């Protein structure tokens, strides 16, 4: 018997234009076999965690 409460559903965030563009670019590069570009996009996606909210100071 499982008595654990179900996990809460994570809050949905609005789509990020930068993330969507990088994902599309990564997918196109993957289909074309451009592995270096795929890696570049993956890195940029990982580093783009603030979605434009970073302070400019």
């Amino acid at each position: 018997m499982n008595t654990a409460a179900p996990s809460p559903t994570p809050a949905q965030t609005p789509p990020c234009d930068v993330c969507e563009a990088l994902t599309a670019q990564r997918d196109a590069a993957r289909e074309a076999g451009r592995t270096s570009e795929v890696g570049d996009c993956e890195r940029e996606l990982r580093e783009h965690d603030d979605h434009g909210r970073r302070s400019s100071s």
Side-chain angles (χ1 to χ4, degrees):
M1 174 186 251
N2 184 357
T3 60
S7 310
T9 304
Q12 295 294 320
T13 56
C16 172
D17 292 341
V18 173
C19 290
E20 288 178 349
L22 284 169
T23 299
Q25 181 180 350
R26 179 200 58 201
D27 293 347
R30 183 175 287 140
E31 288 180 23
R34 297 187 307 264
T35 56
S36 179
E37 186 177 348
V38 171
D40 291 344
C41 291
E42 291 286 349
R43 179 183 45 76
E44 289 187 54
L45 281 163
R46 279 192 307 274
E47 293 175 356
H48 180 71
D49 59 352
D50 61 354
H51 305 282
R53 293 184 294 253
R54 182 176 295 160
S55 170
S56 59
S57 46

